[in-house]
Amino acid sequence: MKGAELVLQVLQQHGVDTIFGYPGGAIMPIYDALYQSEVKHYLCRHEQGGAFSAIGYARASGKVGVCMATSGPGATNLITSLADAMLDSVPVVAITGQVSQAVMGTDAFQEIDVLGLSLAVTKHSFMVRSVEELAATLHEAFAIAQSGRPGPVLVDIPKDVQLAEIDYQPENASTAKVAPVNTSLANAAKARALIAAAKKPMAYIGGGVHMAGAMPQLQQFLAANTMPSVTTLKAMGSVAKDNAHYLGMLGMHGTQAANLAVQQCDLLICLGARFDDRVTGNLQKFAPLAKVIHVDIDPAEINKVRFANVALLGDMKQILPAMTVGTNCADWLDQCAQLKQQYGWRYDHPGERIYAPLMLKQLSDRMPDNSVVCCDVGQHQMWVAQHMRFSSPRNHLSSGGLGTMGFGLPAAIGAKLARSQDTVITVSGDGSFMMNVQELATIKRFRLPVKIVIVDNQRLGMVKQWQQLFFNERYSETDLSDNPDFVALAAAFAIPGHCITRKDEVESALEAMFTWPGPYLLHVCIDDKDNVWPLVPPGAANQEMITELKA
Amino acid sequence: MNHVLNITATNTPAVVERLLQVTRYRGYELAGLELTPRNDARSLSITLTVSSDKPIHLLTSQLHKLYDIQQLELAGAELAVLSA
Ligand SMILES: Cc1ncc(C[n+]2csc(CCOP(=O)(O)OP(=O)(O)O)c2C)c(N)n1
Ligand SMILES: [Mg+2]
């Protein structure tokens, strides 16, 4: 067979039945092989969108997402999405065509040094030099993408390698194994001692917990060592809904209860998180009284920005049970419960205009169990994290580390293809939506019943909020009041839609959206003056949140 | 302060770039680089000297994650501290 056919054989060996991509000259042999393959290819309308769909697929399912692009512009279009997968530790394999080796290094047509470009945005990358090494390289790519801390892997395949003949028998081929995780429980006793001694313990939960498949162990840990917990953006949905001691998201737009409690705790148990600056605020002032237990799979995260008194490296599933010792902190639990009570969200809002937090709460209450919500980036993203509840982090896909506008719509396509039985909703902003709006064509072609909610404030709202607060209300380039008619835009892709502007329209509009069997766009107009609260200003400690201010 | 890293790496086309990219990105200045292919030409012996006020573990823990790096040791007294 040809190298190109081998690529698809190897994909199938890894259980891949869905890939996202866009053809072009240097990857034509693979697209030719695809023509008769059982692997289903979903044509995106921009490679960035295709790769985001692969990320959405991976994050919603836990499997590896696969995307493809041609050399040059196709490959460069992948870069943003690879960076997104890198910062959010998403297992993705990207396959790019490259010009033939005969002309490589001559600035050939659509030749770009993709391997060079990939260095900063992938966990690892390969250039395949001969068809003999093609299968082994692809197997390795899958192994690396999933092993340890997951991440994106790029495989650049010159056209001549795709066209070269090779005798390949998939049955006999050995697939590279995912490297086993080394777990050391040597420090477990120290961790237990700290937990037993703590008067104010706090679990700070990140995306690493669910990615390790340790959701049951987490619930057991929190039950056996009763303590309050907070989650990062990526870990929303990690703590069971009936856990009374859960305080919500921490950080820049976290809940007041979460931030205040973390600032007071005397032991911070960081589980699969990395003390990101959006979480810590002023690092020097973050949880200043706390000793730290840090559990992670990536040794490089230990002591990177915050000293860990005790570190445990390896498999979260093994480590959490080994840390169980029981707690004795009734007063602290009361104190946290009080904070939670005192600073609960309020949804009373004057006037008849739609209040996005309330609308999202209504959406959350109404959406079927196990719905997947894909976000874009900005104020609406923070409102989703604050006001919607999820039963699993795989049900809340938000671009965390890179904060990439344009993530939501293509991610929803991937999520829908990964979980066709579940409802998939994208909550986007009027700015973000336009960044990958071309993917409406993908939804149209495959009649994907994705529900699209656009929270339209006619602004690049999050930037506007910062201009208002920190740049003397100089609203430079954040006005989008000449937005297109989003419902008409959807109609051009045969997607029905509806526009609402008043609170009393919300329930029936949501009903109509969920009742409609196919894709649907709900255009929700809100007041451009609404802002996200609370907010920890830059450089401030997390207890110095500011609240409510309209302008 | 200067740190000397003795590295054994798989001789892949981009390995030196990866090494230098991580070193630069993590904020360490390059103070020396020597490299010789080992006998079988499949691996490289690399001596990387970097200077920084930051603790060196912040760099070594990142370099350890590079797939093409087989072995990494800090020369001299610092050696014992690292085994990530
Ligand atoms: C690709 C990209 N470009 C720029 C930014 C900076 N940025 C962050 S939020 C934001 C505004 C987003 O506007 P919109 O999607 O309408 O969301 P809103 O904040 O109004 O809810 C911008 C420009 C970004 N995060 N990503
Ligand atoms: Mg907006």
Side-chain angles (χ1 to χ4, degrees):
Chain A
M1 67 178 72
K2 290 198 168 65
E5 294 161 75
L6 181 153
V7 170
L8 293 171
Q9 294 275 336
V10 173
L11 292 183
Q12 283 178 286
Q13 270 179 278
H14 287 273
V16 176
D17 54 12
T18 305
I19 60 179
F20 304 91
Y22 209 86
I27 200 165
M28 283 183 67
I30 293 179
Y31 273 82
D32 189 60
L34 204 51
Y35 196 59
Q36 289 180 327
S37 165
E38 286 158 29
V39 178
K40 180 89 182 115
H41 176 272
Y42 291 86
L43 182 75
C44 55
R45 299 308 159 90
H46 186 298
E47 291 85 350
Q48 181 186 112
F52 276 146
S53 294
I55 290 174
Y57 183 91
R59 288 180 64 169
S61 68
K63 297 192 264 187
V64 177
V66 180
C67 57
M68 301 201 305
T70 190
S71 68
T76 57
N77 274 349
L78 290 179
I79 296 295
T80 300
S81 308
L82 292 174
D84 189 275
M86 183 71 178
L87 288 185
D88 281 344
S89 309
V90 186
V92 165
V93 170
I95 296 169
T96 47
Q98 182 55 280
V99 300
S100 286
Q101 294 185 79
V103 295
M104 256 166 64
T106 65
D107 308 311
F109 178 63
Q110 297 193 325
E111 182 187 13
I112 272 289
D113 175 15
V114 173
L115 191 71
L117 272 178
S118 74
L119 297 183
V121 296
T122 57
K123 186 175 172 187
H124 193 60
S125 47
F126 296 95
M127 152 80 70
V128 183
R129 287 298 188 160
S130 75
V131 72
E132 282 73 33
E133 62 189 52
L134 183 55
T137 303
L138 287 165
H139 288 310
E140 232 182 309
F142 274 86
I144 292 172
Q146 303 170 77
S147 64
R149 179 178 180 168
V153 179
L154 180 136
V155 184
D156 200 27
I157 311 176
K159 195 169 183 178
D160 56 298
V161 173
Q162 299 171 41
L163 290 169
E165 285 289 339
I166 183 166
D167 181 21
Y168 180 68
Q169 249 92 45
E171 343 28 284
N172 314 336
S174 65
T175 57
K177 292 275 175 303
V178 175
V181 180
N182 293 319
T183 302
S184 164
L185 297 176
N187 288 334
K190 283 189 203 158
R192 287 196 301 270
L194 283 184
I195 294 172
K199 294 199 171 58
K200 300 178 173 183
M202 169 68 71
Y204 152 34
I205 299 156
V209 176
H210 83 269
M211 289 194 300
M215 292 273 287
Q217 289 79 3
L218 176 69
Q219 314 315 323
Q220 284 153 19
F221 175 82
L222 292 175
N225 309 273
T226 313
M227 68 176 77
S229 57
V230 297
T231 49
T232 66
L233 182 70
K234 255 192 79 182
M236 305 292 306
S238 295
V239 179
K241 283 184 179 174
D242 59 4
N243 184 317
H245 308 296
Y246 173 58
L247 300 176
M249 181 172 79
L250 83 165
M252 181 174 274
H253 292 294
T255 67
Q256 302 208 66
N259 280 336
L260 293 173
V262 168
Q263 290 305 88
Q264 292 167 33
C265 74
D266 66 359
L267 177 66
L268 189 62
I269 304 167
C270 172
L271 304 171
R274 58 186 176 92
F275 297 90
D276 174 76
D277 57 278
R278 285 303 191 261
V279 158
T280 64
N282 186 318
L283 185 63
Q284 269 63 47
K285 298 180 184 163
F286 178 65
L289 312 171
K291 291 194 167 145
V292 169
I293 299 173
H294 197 165
V295 183
D296 209 284
I297 201 166
D298 180 357
E301 291 302 340
I302 309 296
N303 297 330
K304 185 178 84 176
V305 292
R306 170 78 183 235
F307 172 74
N309 300 80
V310 174
L312 285 129
L313 278 169
D315 181 1
M316 191 69 72
K317 291 202 295 291
Q318 294 177 45
I319 294 172
L320 283 173
M323 294 206 304
T324 290
V325 57
T327 53
N328 187 0
C329 58
D331 289 351
W332 170 238
L333 291 173
D334 282 348
Q335 209 180 320
C336 290
Q338 250 173 42
L339 285 173
K340 191 171 168 179
Q341 170 95 40
Q342 183 181 350
Y343 293 110
W345 298 116
R346 298 189 54 165
Y347 295 100
D348 44 335
H349 176 266
E352 62 174 26
R353 300 202 65 172
I354 294 170
Y355 181 50
L358 175 61
M359 184 274 293
L360 291 168
K361 185 177 183 302
Q362 290 169 294
L363 176 65
S364 183
D365 291 343
R366 219 174 231 284
M367 69 189 184
D369 283 347
N370 226 26
S371 294
V372 184
V373 176
C374 301
C375 259
D376 258 297
V377 172
Q379 295 182 310
H380 62 282
Q381 176 191 31
M382 293 297 111
W383 283 323
V384 166
Q386 291 175 336
H387 304 287
M388 298 187 77
R389 284 302 298 265
F390 306 97
S391 51
S392 158
R394 299 216 177 278
N395 294 349
H396 173 236
L397 310 187
S398 201
S399 170
L402 195 66
T404 324
M405 289 172 70
F407 175 86
L409 186 66
I413 291 172
K416 186 68 206 175
L417 290 167
R419 295 184 21 198
S420 59
Q421 299 307 308
D422 292 320
T423 300
V424 175
I425 305 160
T426 174
V427 178
S428 189
D430 49 320
S432 298
F433 184 65
M434 295 298 286
M435 282 231 179
N436 274 314
V437 68
Q438 77 287 344
E439 297 309 316
L440 288 176
T442 313
I443 290 178
K444 171 173 186 272
R445 170 169 295 191
F446 299 103
R447 296 197 185 81
L448 297 172
V450 169
K451 309 298 176 187
I452 303 163
V453 177
I454 299 183
V455 179
D456 179 7
N457 50 11
Q458 305 198 6
R459 293 293 181 280
L460 297 174
M462 185 58 92
V463 180
K464 177 224 70 180
Q465 179 168 352
W466 279 57
Q467 289 170 334
Q468 181 185 347
L469 295 173
F470 311 119
F471 289 87
N472 291 321
E473 303 184 26
R474 289 157 58 85
Y475 298 114
S476 176
E477 302 295 331
T478 49
D479 187 317
L480 298 181
S481 51
D482 55 351
N483 272 324
D485 176 341
F486 290 114
V487 172
L489 184 59
F493 294 90
I495 299 169
H498 182 55
C499 177
I500 56 174
T501 57
R502 291 194 330 267
K503 257 186 200 125
D504 58 8
E505 295 175 294
V506 170
E507 286 291 353
S508 59
L510 292 176
E511 164 98 41
M513 177 176 82
F514 284 125
T515 312
W516 180 257
Y520 192 92
L521 183 142
L522 182 62
H523 178 195
V524 181
C525 301
I526 66 166
D527 191 338
D528 62 81
K529 296 186 179 57
D530 287 344
N531 280 331
V532 182
W533 308 110
L535 173 148
V536 179
N542 275 358
Q543 73 271 18
E544 299 164 37
M545 291 160 282
I546 49 178
T547 52
E548 198 59 73
L549 188 76
K550 270 207 173 194
Chain B
M1 125 172 224
N2 272 10
H3 307 274
V4 181
L5 304 175
N6 293 320
I7 298 167
T8 310
T10 312
N11 192 358
T12 56
V15 64
V16 178
E17 281 170 83
R18 289 182 202 279
L19 209 61
L20 295 181
Q21 187 250 339
V22 172
T23 302
R24 173 182 53 73
Y25 171 64
R26 297 292 168 181
Y28 295 76
E29 219 171 281
L30 194 61
L33 177 64
E34 259 176 70
L35 134 179
T36 39
R38 304 196 116 181
N39 293 339
D40 59 359
R42 291 230 191 112
S43 22
L44 298 171
S45 293
I46 302 173
T47 308
L48 177 70
T49 310
V50 297
S51 98
S52 175
D53 299 335
K54 298 185 187 185
I56 190 67
H57 80 85
L58 292 178
L59 177 61
T60 51
S61 63
Q62 298 294 345
L63 291 177
H64 266 297
K65 291 201 282 181
L66 292 178
Y67 278 83
D68 297 334
I69 293 204
Q70 300 161 4
Q71 248 193 358
L72 189 156
E73 282 177 348
L74 262 184
E78 297 171 90
L79 197 144
V81 201
L82 297 161
S83 54

